[in-house]
Amino acid sequence: MHKEYLTVSNIVGPLIIVEKIEDVKYGELVEIEDAGGHLRRGEVLDVSTERAVVQVFEGTTGLDVDESKVRFLGRSQKLRVSDEIVGRVFDGSGYPKDGGPEIIAKHTRDINGIPINPQARDYPSEFIQTGISSIDGMNPLVRGQKLPIFSGSGLPHSRIAAQIARQAKVLGKKEKFAVVFGGMGITFEEANFFIEDFRDTGALERSVVFLNLANEPPIERIATPRLALTCAEYLAFDLDMHVLVILVDYTFYAEALREISAARKEIPGRRGYPGYLYTDLATMYERAGRIKGKAGSITYIPILTMPEDDKTHPIADLTGYITEGQIMLSREIHRKGIYPPVDVLPSLSRLKDKGIGKGKTREDHADVLNQLFACYARGKDARELALILGEAALSDMDKIYLDFADRYEDEFVRQGESEARTIEQTLELGWKLLRMVPSAELKRISPEYLERYYSEDQ
Amino acid sequence: MKKGTIIRTAGPLVVASDCLGAKMYDMVRVGDIGLIGEIIELREDKAFIQVYEDTTGIGPGEPVLLTGEPLSVELGPGLIQSVFDGIQRPLDVIRAKEGDFVTRGIEVPHLNRTKKWDFKPLVRKGQSVEEGDFLGEVEETPLIKHKVMVPPGIKGKVTQIKKGKMTVQQEAAVIQDQEAEHKIRLFQVWSIRQNRKVKKRIMPENPLVTGQRVLDTLFPLAKGGTACVPGPFGSGKTVVQHQLAKWSDAQIIVFVACGERGNEVADLLLSFPELKDPSTGRPLMERTVIIANTSNMPVAAREASIYTGMTIAEYFRDMGYSVALMADSSSRWAEALREISGRMEEMPGEEGYPAYLASRLAEFYERAGKVKCLGSEDREGALSVIGAVSPPGGDLSDPVVQSTLKVVKVFWALDDKLANERHFPAINWQNSYSLYVDNIKDNWQEEVAEDFTEIRQEAMKLLEEESELLEIARLVGVESLSDTERLVLESAKSIREDFLHQNAFHPQDTYTSLRKQYLMLRIIIHFHNLGLNALEEGVPFNDIFQLEVRERISKMKFISEKEQEEEDSVHDVFIEVDRSFKELIKNKG
């Protein structure tokens, strides 16, 4: 039996302070019983000989100082896992939300995880075909990569994420595949969209969902992504599955972290976010990857909405420093009615070089990718110039590029929500656009491929 | 051993009482499971300890073991080709012992205790030696002769010297001085926070050739110099650091992956054994030490990792080697400092960083330099340091960038805009600078070419003129520029695209020798000068613009070093430029 303390002295925001404690450990899981007998959970954030600071996941509303009972459980927060976890929906603390039974644990895993030994990592190099040209063609995703979507409020990042979850596959392989979805502070409608979408396409059977909705306790959000990743690690490295983890929305996560930090009166870093935000995010993002000798993998797509579409905002900025690139969405392209509104130029996939080319996608992929980047960039410059000087002032070549940029957005970037293009189709589309430009201008493509593909069906 | 008692745990910070007698920066073992920590502040009998492993499950009442020793590294054969964590625990040994994840409280020896090295003595019995003298050597890898030196502070007569196979722990020599006998093993132990002694510092005067055109030609770093590479995410900091680790002509590379991505370390580990050192043809791993404390590994060990790397680098410098240390990224180190400082409730300076940030950074970079090493023979070693900085939002007013710029002599500014245009390396030629040009000018003239500095100067001038002209062109259109001005634009573009732009992933383009860099740039400048001349002769601008030789200029970068060496192919382009212009002038009108 655990000792019960009635010594709560302060309640500050999401934190409670428990006095006169004995034998309490840092990071320990805590159970708090309020006056009405309801249980809440928390975690020890700071412990000294006299007192412990505890963050309460379900929030402190309704707690009082004299009647709340606190029990320290002597262990950190764990997730119970077994192969029956697939196909289930849980809340943000890991309890079943779909009316099903509790998971009978084969193992219990610490939700904070432990770092993968860098020496044990296998370099991600298998191309994942998402069926979306602006990703496959321009910023290819590989297995074991962490590639976030940088979005803004009102942009269709959920639809894109769902489309990736539906269509993603590795070419020429049939393997065990699972999706782990975590929602942090998202609305009921958004969560429902995902679940319905997964259900309609049959993806729910191979998914695990963890949901903390906008009206649920913000502090619970600290645990939600960790639960999802712990589950993913189990599926990937114990059950040899290829796991795609999608977590929305990290902005709400970071805000919850800031709330705790403020309640602890910590010295804030940029924009009030705690100085350890980078480390905190990294301990989650870095759980993606591959391990030598293991069949499974974790590919990770965190989604965040940049406040005011500002990518220098600490959440986006620190994420960009940890993840292996980013898919950036653009409000401007969205306004033109183009789906998916991927802003190709500032998007980046750092691991693409080892994932594309002969034997993986196609020999000319890297060259086509670079050339499309260059032509589109030039086209956008021309567009800007045309705005200032008028289209008439453009040189003939600039006019070609201007035209190129328009068609690129309209034909290459734009596609249907259920349209899954193969990588060949994507590359062919790329060539079709490149043929608008005289071959002498295509300096980034080696002569060999130019000869083979440029004039193909003209 | 003395013991204290934990009275508080808050993340990586642990406070213990009953610690009288403990010294600053002593190493301690924390809690029942014995996590490694270091004392960073003492208040009366209370010690503030930063713990290098995750402290979950550690609480008040648990013991703290005071070792009385500073946090140290072991310096001896077995360093090269190793991958260590931030406090020099070999990650492969940890993996063999604990599996694919790094668990806590692991105790493993830093250097391999069982491997036998073939020790060749370099002194005779009875010989007098002083600190820093070579006692013998072992071949650590085919590239590196590891010298076993007399540890600092010891001077006397060699009374015993061994020969043959031995482990690092075995006695290799005995030195007798007035008071005592010193038994010398193959390795020494050295505190990571303590600079290793040198005879004196000297000025750097040789370039560190990196094979990267924009760096070597425009903003060169000297052997023994310091450089910083700041830039926003996605601008290619890590690629630049990797390129330097791969191609720079230092003899030893120490790469500190400090709070960065695990997959990047995996990339290094997989590619380095395959890549060949351009000057020796041996695998690059045979000259490399990697310190990997990735971003999800404990934050305090991240703080220690750059000192661990630096101490190892200094040790090889003491042997007379030219060593280069890359730290990627110093911002993560500074953040670790900030996190610990915040937990200690210190008064913050700018952006929450502690007030001592600048002095810590300065101390770190000052450990670089070209030196006369300890020892009776006259030996020079150099330690170059290249630090990446990751300022928030790429904002160069960030305190870490600003404090770094105060101490380093070379500034390679990475630029978001260039990166978006996929111009790599995205080093902005207008903001970047190198203060070593004057130091290494003479070396260039002797080793590369008499007129290298002039050619370089001319290229810089063209780039400068370009930015002014582009400004005008943006306002009034390119058509309003004179032909001469348009030629300047074209030539500057050629410098940018055919010279500065370099593809790290292309087998030939990834490395360019200094000689070839010179030849390439000379051709572009030569073309420009002949072009000016042709315009004066009345040749229409478009004829120059459409010369076929321009195509060959743009392909120069793909000529392999081997082909260049054997057939001097780049020079053919030079001749072709001459010929093209002669023809042009002959045929005008």
Side-chain angles (χ1 to χ4, degrees):
Chain A
M1 204 43 222
H2 299 289
K3 205 166 165 182
E4 226 168 58
Y5 293 93
L6 284 161
T7 49
V8 175
S9 64
N10 295 301
I11 302 179
V12 188
L15 305 179
I16 60 171
I17 293 168
V18 191
E19 305 279 338
K20 297 185 200 133
I21 47 152
E22 257 174 34
D23 204 26
V24 169
K25 310 293 188 195
Y26 174 76
E28 197 173 339
L29 194 63
V30 184
E31 216 169 60
I32 304 118
E33 195 180 325
D34 62 24
H38 293 291
L39 284 184
R40 304 177 199 215
R41 289 188 164 223
E43 188 185 63
V44 177
L45 287 187
D46 191 333
V47 54
S48 58
T49 36
E50 307 88 48
R51 63 179 70 87
V53 179
V54 176
Q55 63 172 349
V56 184
F57 294 138
E58 283 91 341
T60 49
T61 314
L63 279 186
D64 61 11
V65 285
D66 40 294
E67 282 190 71
S68 301
K69 295 174 196 153
V70 180
R71 287 184 288 273
F72 293 90
L73 301 181
R75 57 180 175 87
S76 53
Q77 199 178 358
K78 299 257 184 347
L79 177 72
R80 287 188 270 183
V81 289
S82 86
D83 45 3
E84 280 168 12
I85 202 166
V86 181
R88 301 291 305 273
V89 181
F90 300 92
D91 70 5
S93 295
Y95 296 107
K97 207 181 185 169
D98 52 3
E102 286 259 355
I103 296 292
I104 297 164
K106 274 205 177 134
H107 305 275
T108 55
R109 293 282 155 87
D110 190 315
I111 68 159
N112 290 311
I114 35 177
I116 301 178
N117 189 329
Q119 190 102 36
R121 276 184 192 270
D122 205 358
Y123 198 72
S125 61
E126 275 178 299
F127 171 73
I128 297 180
Q129 181 177 294
T130 66
I132 299 173
S133 293
S134 45
I135 297 177
D136 292 352
M138 308 303 287
N139 300 291
L141 177 68
V142 294
R143 234 176 215 176
Q145 185 173 15
K146 38 191 181 298
L147 187 67
I149 298 180
F150 284 10
S151 181
S153 329
L155 296 179
H157 48 263
S158 301
R159 285 157 62 197
I160 298 174
Q163 189 175 1
I164 294 174
R166 267 197 319 268
Q167 300 178 351
K169 64 174 173 201
V170 169
L171 296 177
K173 289 201 178 167
K174 274 253 175 280
E175 284 157 326
K176 283 196 283 179
F177 182 72
V179 177
V180 173
F181 177 82
M184 299 168 278
I186 58 174
T187 59
F188 167 76
E189 282 155 45
E190 210 174 346
N192 200 46
F193 166 78
F194 276 103
I195 293 182
E196 286 303 316
D197 192 88
F198 286 178
R199 184 168 289 142
D200 291 348
T201 54
L204 196 61
E205 286 160 39
R206 50 182 176 92
S207 306
V208 189
V209 178
F210 293 89
L211 282 182
N212 160 280
L213 298 182
N215 60 345
E216 287 170 332
I219 306 309
E220 197 179 73
R221 274 160 222 168
I222 305 292
T224 313
R226 295 184 164 85
L227 289 166
L229 287 161
T230 307
C231 172
E233 276 174 3
Y234 172 72
L235 299 178
F237 302 132
D238 285 40
L239 302 185
D240 293 340
M241 297 174 111
H242 292 286
V243 187
L244 180 67
V245 182
I246 299 174
L247 283 170
V248 238
D249 169 331
Y250 261 102
T251 308
F252 295 124
Y253 171 86
E255 278 166 6
L257 200 68
R258 176 166 68 175
E259 196 178 326
I260 296 164
S261 170
R264 292 180 72 184
K265 300 195 169 53
E266 287 173 338
I267 295 156
R270 281 176 70 224
R271 302 224 193 162
Y273 290 95
Y276 48 81
L277 182 60
Y278 175 86
T279 305
D280 190 88
L281 291 173
T283 52
M284 288 180 281
Y285 293 156
E286 278 288 325
R287 289 169 81 170
R290 307 208 59 163
I291 291 180
K292 284 181 205 157
K294 300 240 168 158
S297 66
I298 299 180
T299 309
Y300 187 17
I301 305 186
I303 298 175
L304 53 95
T305 47
M306 298 177 284
E308 292 173 54
D309 298 348
D310 174 13
K311 77 164 182 162
T312 67
H313 187 280
I315 303 168
D317 190 52
L318 296 177
T319 297
Y321 275 122
I322 309 163
T323 53
E324 282 130 3
Q326 66 277 337
I327 302 290
M328 191 87 82
L329 302 188
S330 148
R331 201 167 290 280
E332 189 198 326
I333 299 180
H334 180 61
R335 279 205 202 100
K336 288 184 191 163
I338 293 173
Y339 172 90
V342 175
D343 197 353
V344 169
L345 294 185
S347 296
L348 170 72
S349 166
R350 290 168 189 269
L351 303 185
K352 62 170 189 292
D353 297 296
K354 300 243 162 84
I356 61 175
K358 203 171 177 181
K360 292 185 167 152
T361 53
R362 210 168 81 178
E363 50 184 5
D364 57 328
H365 193 162
D367 285 8
V368 171
L369 179 157
N370 283 325
Q371 189 62 62
L372 285 171
F373 263 120
C375 291
Y376 181 52
R378 174 107 190 250
K380 281 189 85 165
D381 279 348
R383 192 184 283 167
E384 220 164 277
L385 210 62
L387 269 181
I388 306 170
L389 302 172
E391 214 165 302
L394 294 183
S395 69
D396 288 344
M397 200 52 94
D398 277 342
K399 278 183 193 145
I400 293 179
Y401 279 112
L402 178 63
D403 203 22
F404 176 91
D406 289 340
R407 279 186 59 190
Y408 176 80
E409 286 172 8
D410 200 46
E411 295 172 32
F412 190 88
V413 175
R414 184 203 292 274
Q415 70 184 86
E417 223 175 308
S418 55
E419 182 185 356
R421 294 185 190 150
T422 65
I423 184 65
E424 277 79 21
Q425 286 170 329
T426 294
L427 290 175
E428 225 15 83
L429 202 53
W431 276 109
K432 188 179 142 200
L433 294 171
L434 289 176
R435 286 185 200 115
M436 297 171 67
V437 182
S439 65
E441 285 278 304
L442 304 178
K443 283 191 182 170
R444 311 239 169 152
I445 296 188
S446 70
E448 185 192 339
Y449 302 143
L450 215 50
E451 202 172 306
R452 192 167 313 159
Y453 296 100
Y454 186 74
S455 59
E456 205 168 45
D457 45 13
Q458 272 192 331
Chain B
M1 223 176 284
K2 237 182 103 44
K3 267 186 193 170
T5 311
I6 298 179
I7 55 170
R8 183 182 166 211
T9 312
L13 179 74
V14 162
V15 186
S17 62
D18 305 327
C19 290
L20 276 184
K23 298 186 296 293
M24 281 290 273
Y25 296 112
D26 270 2
M27 195 184 97
V28 296
R29 309 296 300 229
V30 177
D32 295 324
I33 49 174
L35 305 180
I36 296 169
E38 190 181 22
I39 297 177
I40 51 169
E41 190 168 313
L42 289 164
R43 291 186 204 157
E44 296 172 351
D45 75 325
K46 286 198 229 17
F48 289 68
I49 299 158
Q50 62 175 350
V51 185
Y52 293 127
E53 297 172 85
D54 180 31
T55 54
T56 303
I58 303 287
E62 289 187 44
V64 168
L65 213 63
L66 308 171
T67 65
E69 301 281 334
L71 186 70
S72 302
V73 286
E74 290 180 357
L75 303 169
L79 288 169
I80 307 276
Q81 308 201 58
S82 285
V83 184
F84 298 109
D85 75 352
I87 45 176
Q88 211 206 3
R89 291 180 303 188
L91 286 168
D92 54 341
V93 179
I94 293 183
R95 184 174 178 224
K97 213 171 154 187
E98 304 284 332
D100 295 331
F101 293 85
V102 184
T103 46
R104 298 184 297 164
I106 309 163
E107 214 170 337
V108 288
H110 298 321
L111 293 176
N112 190 327
R113 290 285 190 265
T114 52
K115 183 161 182 178
K116 294 218 162 162
W117 302 96
D118 194 10
F119 178 75
K120 290 198 189 76
L122 293 172
V123 291
R124 278 165 290 104
K125 201 167 155 183
Q127 204 171 319
S128 292
V129 290
E130 59 177 84
E131 51 181 7
D133 279 350
F134 295 155
L135 291 169
E137 63 182 22
V138 300
E139 193 185 279
E140 193 171 354
T141 70
L143 282 182
I144 302 300
K145 294 255 187 307
H146 190 116
K147 313 288 184 189
V148 177
M149 295 174 285
V150 178
I154 294 176
K155 188 177 179 178
K157 263 199 169 55
V158 179
T159 55
Q160 263 188 57
I161 182 90
K162 295 218 175 90
K163 182 177 183 219
K165 302 240 178 217
M166 61 177 76
T167 67
V168 286
Q169 268 179 313
Q170 276 170 320
E171 227 168 77
V174 177
I175 297 171
Q176 175 81 51
D177 66 9
Q178 273 108 351
E179 287 119 41
E181 246 187 6
H182 301 276
K183 297 187 166 118
I184 311 293
R185 294 179 294 183
L186 291 191
F187 77 100
Q188 340 180 336
V189 175
W190 193 265
S191 158
I192 61 165
R193 312 236 175 228
Q194 181 79 47
N195 299 6
R196 283 182 64 87
K197 281 206 285 183
V198 296
K199 236 190 242 162
K200 72 174 210 242
R201 296 273 302 264
I202 47 181
M203 287 304 282
E205 55 201 6
N206 299 326
L208 182 83
V209 180
T210 66
Q212 311 305 302
R213 295 187 289 266
V214 60
L215 306 185
D216 287 352
T217 301
L218 293 193
F219 311 108
L221 174 61
K223 285 200 173 86
T226 49
C228 103
V229 202
F233 65 83
S235 57
K237 271 185 307 299
T238 302
V239 178
V240 169
Q241 290 276 37
H242 283 197
Q243 286 296 88
L244 291 172
K246 284 173 188 166
W247 307 124
S248 60
D249 67 342
Q251 290 157 300
I252 308 260
I253 303 288
V254 179
F255 196 95
V256 186
C258 168
E260 289 289 305
R261 304 174 181 92
N263 279 335
E264 278 167 7
V265 179
D267 185 22
L268 284 181
L269 290 180
L270 294 176
S271 62
F272 269 43
E274 317 254 297
L275 289 166
K276 301 271 182 289
D277 178 15
S279 51
T280 57
R282 300 287 313 173
L284 283 176
M285 204 59 203
E286 289 181 359
R287 60 163 197 179
T288 309
V289 185
I290 296 177
I291 316 285
N293 211 91
T294 53
S295 57
N296 54 339
M297 287 160 82
V299 70
R302 193 192 297 168
E303 196 271 330
S305 66
I306 68 165
Y307 294 105
T308 300
M310 184 58 99
T311 310
I312 293 173
E314 281 181 340
Y315 172 67
F316 282 109
R317 173 207 63 195
D318 290 349
M319 295 178 201
Y321 286 120
S322 154
V323 186
L325 176 128
M326 284 98 203
D328 185 12
S329 141
S330 58
S331 291
R332 304 301 159 227
W333 167 82
E335 276 167 16
L337 212 61
R338 173 167 72 181
E339 182 167 346
I340 306 284
S341 159
R343 305 251 187 204
M344 304 227 308
E345 287 152 23
E346 291 174 339
M347 186 68 89
E350 257 178 291
E351 298 270 356
Y353 286 106
Y356 45 79
L357 172 72
S359 61
R360 290 279 171 89
L361 271 169
E363 274 166 26
F364 172 74
Y365 282 103
E366 265 305 288
R367 286 175 81 168
K370 189 170 181 185
V371 302
K372 288 246 187 268
C373 308
L374 286 182
S376 40
E377 69 166 318
D378 202 29
R379 169 164 96 230
E380 286 180 4
L383 170 49
S384 323
V385 175
I386 300 119
V389 193
S390 323
D395 175 8
L396 295 182
S397 69
D398 166 66
V400 185
V401 178
Q402 286 305 317
S403 309
T404 306
L405 284 183
K406 277 178 213 150
V407 284
V408 301
K409 296 259 167 51
V410 176
F411 174 50
W412 294 324
L414 290 169
D415 190 329
D416 217 6
K417 197 169 165 287
L418 290 173
N420 278 348
E421 290 165 11
R422 298 301 189 264
H423 175 102
F424 287 113
I427 289 169
N428 183 315
W429 47 89
Q430 275 159 342
N431 299 351
S432 304
Y433 59 77
S434 163
L435 302 181
Y436 289 116
V437 178
D438 287 338
N439 299 28
I440 58 184
K441 212 161 58 185
D442 295 344
N443 184 284
W444 272 347
Q445 276 168 4
E446 275 166 40
E447 302 285 325
V448 191
E450 224 14 77
D451 59 345
F452 190 38
T453 29
E454 283 90 60
I455 296 273
R456 174 183 174 276
Q457 208 50 49
E458 212 146 325
M460 299 278 269
K461 205 178 102 206
L462 278 173
L463 289 169
E464 185 59 39
E465 283 177 18
E466 181 197 32
S467 72
E468 285 166 21
L469 288 174
L470 282 179
E471 199 78 2
I472 298 170
R474 208 165 289 137
L475 294 173
V476 292
V478 183
E479 271 65 32
S480 59
L481 296 180
S482 73
D483 280 353
T484 326
E485 286 168 334
R486 287 178 66 186
L487 185 69
V488 169
L489 284 186
E490 283 300 324
S491 300
K493 186 173 160 209
S494 173
I495 295 175
R496 281 191 286 113
E497 291 183 356
D498 305 331
F499 185 77
L500 298 182
H501 182 282
Q502 190 168 3
N503 184 349
F505 301 99
H506 188 285
Q508 263 75 49
D509 200 17
T510 184
Y511 173 86
T512 309
S513 65
L514 206 49
R515 174 78 192 161
K516 191 181 149 197
Q517 293 184 25
Y518 159 72
L519 291 173
M520 285 171 71
L521 194 59
R522 188 173 70 141
I523 287 171
I524 297 172
I525 301 295
H526 189 56
F527 184 97
H528 177 73
N529 290 336
L530 289 184
L532 283 179
N533 187 32
L535 284 178
E536 257 171 47
E537 295 279 338
V539 177
F541 176 76
N542 276 344
D543 289 1
I544 301 175
F545 184 64
Q546 280 156 3
L547 277 178
E548 261 170 38
V549 69
R550 281 169 56 99
E551 176 90 10
R552 285 193 69 182
I553 291 178
S554 72
K555 298 261 153 67
M556 285 188 299
K557 48 170 101 162
F558 303 121
I559 296 172
S560 71
E561 289 296 326
K562 192 160 161 262
E563 189 190 331
Q564 165 57 23
E565 222 164 82
E566 283 164 8
E567 296 167 28
D568 206 5
S569 310
V570 178
H571 191 67
D572 291 349
V573 183
F574 191 86
I575 296 167
E576 177 76 18
V577 170
D578 265 345
R579 199 191 54 78
S580 305
F581 273 100
K582 277 211 187 91
E583 211 164 281
L584 204 61
I585 290 172
K586 206 170 77 193
N587 296 345
K588 67 167 167 153

